[in-house]
Amino acid sequence: MGVRKTGTWLRRARIAGGGALVVAYSAISYRSNVAGHAGTLGVLFAFAPLLALSLGAAWRGRPRLLWLALWAMACGGLWHDRALIAAHYAWAYLVEDVGMLTLLCSFFARTLAPPRVPLISRLSELVHGSLSPRLAHYTRRVTQLWAALFGVMAIVSVFLFLVAGVRVWGFYANVLTWPIMALVFIGEYLVRRRVIPAQERAGFLQVVFAGSRYWRHLVDTDPREPSLHGRAGR
């Protein structure tokens, strides 16, 4: 019982820590864009999320040493061209923002092609076990929703950067992005409460904790597998 409580608190701490990092990154990024200038470290900071995400992908790639070497070469290229990047710092933040949104869009969208299992369906399997046809259909639609949302947000980001200017774009990219995703997450949960019976759905916090607990399984497991519940329990 004590171990379970400790695990719950650790998950809560990771979620809180992750949220704090997101807020700090957004605040620093927005300040850099509004200030109209950024130092070398400030510009390279723009690529921190992409570098962290790509490092995780390289570590899971095969052959691992090759992908890690390519990742190191990319880091070396960024450092070598740091002066050029600093001269065009706003573009660096645009690349980071659109790159992250595009990666997230592809992460969801690639699981929609048969015979793969949609990403939200996989998460639901990890929480509930086997899915009813109704829940399987709903979770597929939710996966489509998130893929479309990230794709549209990437397009809007480019449009605002080119048309509205850096200050307006910076407010959208660094301030509005996370509230938009939070509103969609909450809105989807409210819809789920109306269309999915209580015995087939998880609670709001259970969904949040499940994402925190099982994200490695969602990334590492072959998405074509019909059921992932057993693997999550190993």
Side-chain angles (χ1 to χ4, degrees), residues 4-114:
R4 181 176 298 178
K5 288 184 177 180
T6 300
T8 300
W9 280 109
L10 286 175
R11 288 196 296 274
R12 291 178 178 175
R14 285 198 295 267
I15 293 172
L21 287 175
V22 166
V23 172
Y25 176 83
S26 298
I28 294 173
S29 300
Y30 181 63
R31 182 178 179 182
S32 297
N33 285 289
V34 171
H37 62 82
T40 300
L41 291 179
V43 172
L44 295 180
F45 179 74
F47 292 95
L50 273 177
L51 290 176
L53 187 62
S54 59
L55 176 59
W59 182 260
R60 293 187 298 272
R62 296 293 183 272
R64 178 178 295 172
L65 289 179
L66 173 62
W67 286 106
L68 289 176
L70 292 174
W71 182 86
M73 290 174 61
C75 292
L78 289 174
W79 181 254
H80 181 269
D81 295 327
R82 61 189 183 278
L84 177 63
I85 297 173
H88 305 280
Y89 71 95
W91 287 91
Y93 279 97
L94 175 67
V95 169
E96 183 278 330
D97 182 60
V98 175
M100 284 293 297
L101 291 171
T102 302
L103 283 175
L104 289 170
C105 175
S106 63
F107 186 57
F108 281 82
R110 69 186 180 89
T111 66
L112 292 169

